[in-house]
Amino acid sequence: MHINPERSTRPDYDLLVRQVTSILEGERDLTANAAQFSALVYDTLADLNWAGFYLTVPSKKGEGQDLLVGPFQGKPACARIPFGRGVCGTTAVERKTIVVPDVHAFPGHIACDSASNSEIVLPVIKDGKLVGVFDIDSPVLDRFSDEDRAGLEAMVAAFLNATDC
């Protein structure tokens, strides 16, 4: 059961990993679990304006892959992002977490919401396959720390363990 009366800039990630496991217990569907996961992150971390998934799909151009917006919390977002573009597309290509203290300084940043100032994007990889990325935006510059990176990576691992993708 999720219990967190207020959002935090220094969340207890060990507790959040246990909450992910608990919330997703008994359900393995990707869409349902991604929606629950996005809501948990958005509800528990302070100073966010977007948290959600972009899922890997074939490119509309016929070759390669894109990221298509999936379950999220926040304002409407960019619907489709080509691999290699922006922070999400770069994360998809590099397959590693990218923390951006100031998105305006990131070459090729895609401004889906002009209020966003910092971002963290985590690859979602299961059995060697890139399922997509989990993207979090904040209106606060330099919002995401190494502690956030490690904690969110542990949360994504718990999500993947509970989800069929």
Side-chain angles (χ1 to χ4, degrees), residues 2 6 23 51 56 72 77 81 92 100 130 133 144 153 155 164:
H2 167 65
E6 60 186 69
I23 289 168
T56 303
F72 72 91
I81 300 172
V100 182
L130 182 75
V133 300
F144 304 104
E153 287 176 345
M155 289 178 69
D164 293 333

Side-chain angles (χ1 to χ4, degrees), residues 57-66 68 80:
V57 297
S59 173
K60 285 179 117 177
K61 296 178 181 175
E63 57 184 64
Q65 294 177 305
D66 288 340
L68 185 65
R80 187 177 289 263

Side-chain angles (χ1 to χ4, degrees), residues 11 16 20 24 39 90 96 98 106 133 142 144-145 148 150:
L16 289 176
V20 168
L24 304 184
T90 301
K96 67 177 184 174
I98 298 178
F106 189 89
V133 300
D142 202 19
F144 304 104
S145 66
D148 291 313

Side-chain angles (χ1 to χ4, degrees), residues 12 22 29 34 58-60 66 75 80 85 117 152 160:
D12 180 344
S22 176
D29 181 78
S59 173
K60 285 179 117 177
D66 288 340
K75 293 180 180 180
R80 187 177 289 263
R85 288 209 49 227
N117 285 311
L152 288 162
L160 286 166

Side-chain angles (χ1 to χ4, degrees), residues 19-159:
Q19 287 181 336
V20 168
T21 302
S22 176
I23 289 168
L24 304 184
E25 185 176 1
E27 182 56 66
R28 303 218 39 101
D29 181 78
L30 174 62
T31 302
N33 286 357
Q36 293 282 58
F37 186 86
S38 298
L40 176 67
V41 169
Y42 194 77
D43 189 49
T44 55
L45 274 67
D47 300 325
L48 304 185
N49 57 335
W50 204 88
F53 288 86
Y54 279 93
L55 302 173
T56 303
V57 297
S59 173
K60 285 179 117 177
K61 296 178 181 175
E63 57 184 64
Q65 294 177 305
D66 288 340
L67 296 168
L68 185 65
V69 70
F72 72 91
Q73 298 282 305
K75 293 180 180 180
C78 300
R80 187 177 289 263
I81 300 172
F83 272 37
R85 288 209 49 227
V87 183
C88 290
T90 301
T91 298
V93 170
E94 294 184 5
R95 292 179 166 228
K96 67 177 184 174
T97 300
I98 298 178
V99 178
V100 182
D102 180 355
V103 296
H104 309 289
F106 189 89
H109 175 255
I110 301 169
C112 297
D113 180 354
S114 62
S116 294
N117 285 311
S118 63
E119 185 171 8
I120 183 170
V121 183
L122 303 99
V124 179
I125 301 169
K126 187 157 190 175
D127 300 327
K129 175 187 165 199
L130 182 75
V131 175
V133 300
F134 187 69
D135 179 24
I136 307 174
D137 295 344
S138 174
V140 177
L141 287 168
D142 202 19
R143 163 62 183 84
F144 304 104
S145 66
D146 283 338
E147 182 182 345
D148 291 313
R149 181 196 47 74
L152 288 162
E153 287 176 345
M155 289 178 69
V156 167
F159 165 80

